[in-house]
Amino acid sequence: MRAPRLIYVGGIYHVVARCNNRQHFFNNHEDFNLYLTMLNKARDKYNVNIHGFCATNNHIHLILGTPQNKYLSLFMQYAQSHFAKAYNKKYGKTGHFWAGRYHSTIIDSEEYYMNCLLYVELNMTRNGAKKHPKNWKYSSYKQHAYGKGTFQIDYHDQYLQLGSSPKQRQKKYRQIMQSAMQEKGLLKKQQPITYGIIYGSKQFIQNTIQKYANHKYYKKRKYHKTKEKEIYTLRKTHRDTS
């Protein structure tokens, strides 16, 4: 059974979208910039926050928030479809750009948001393409670590709490990232962040299902404790190990 979308006001989501057949469709700076342009247009249209991202050659990671509405699906549909049309027109191609629908994981923002953000921004380091996330242009790392980048993100409260000024937050975030690379194991390929439906404390998962998931699919899923302390996932049927 395919999981029905679980979207609610105030939610934080880790979204993964893959290119069709995992092909490397993002070939140059123009392709990446075109996608970021479509993301920005979708944000303006649907008021969805973009807290973090990493765009690779064959898939996209996004951390999105729905602070005032439940328009996550509309946001993704607009960004993905408009980009695919523009891309195909540019290269004179036909057919699917994306490999089916995107996958989304609900994130416990109070406790585990930062783990998800670090994991996303480490994507190109984890796969061996770059030695450090600062060396990859198309992610939100430089925005968090240095206050500059190719795309203006929406800072999450958990990031804003790192310091009383931008410089303090940036310095603290660089320290957290360095620690994550050395100690937290976020360079491993498989993480529960990517293949769960809900990621966080057991209480957070229980509360989310009780409040928003009136569907047997969610009620029949089992919690799985991760290797990280007191973190659980509500898994889907098949793992997504992006």
Side-chain angles (χ1 to χ4, degrees), residues 123-184:
N123 191 268
M124 293 298 284
T125 305
R126 190 167 54 252
N127 66 21
K130 299 295 178 180
K131 291 184 178 181
H132 194 279
K134 68 181 180 182
N135 298 325
W136 182 242
K137 185 177 182 180
Y138 299 105
S139 85
S140 51
Y141 175 74
K142 286 188 176 181
Q143 196 76 43
H144 287 113
Y146 302 102
K148 57 184 179 181
T150 58
F151 184 81
Q152 182 60 51
I153 58 174
D154 304 298
Y155 292 120
H156 189 274
D157 286 345
Q158 293 297 310
Y159 173 80
L160 294 175
Q161 292 173 16
L162 295 180
S164 59
S165 70
K167 287 188 176 180
Q168 287 181 358
R169 292 191 287 267
Q170 291 159 20
K171 181 179 180 180
K172 181 63 175 180
Y173 189 75
R174 293 195 299 269
Q175 294 172 345
I176 292 173
M177 175 61 80
Q178 190 63 34
S179 176
M181 293 177 67
Q182 294 175 349
E183 300 173 9
K184 289 191 175 183

Side-chain angles (χ1 to χ4, degrees), residues 73-124:
S73 293
L74 292 173
F75 167 91
M76 288 299 298
Q77 182 181 8
Y78 182 95
Q80 303 299 84
S81 63
H82 280 70
F83 170 75
K85 290 177 182 178
Y87 181 94
N88 285 344
K89 182 179 180 180
K90 173 185 174 183
Y91 289 104
K93 292 186 176 183
T94 59
H96 297 292
F97 182 95
W98 302 105
R101 71 176 195 163
Y102 65 91
H103 172 70
S104 61
T105 301
I106 299 170
I107 301 298
D108 184 344
S109 61
E110 291 187 4
E111 298 293 335
Y112 308 115
Y113 168 83
M114 197 61 71
N115 266 14
C116 183
L117 177 62
L118 296 169
Y119 179 83
V120 166
E121 293 180 348
L122 279 167
N123 191 268
M124 293 298 284

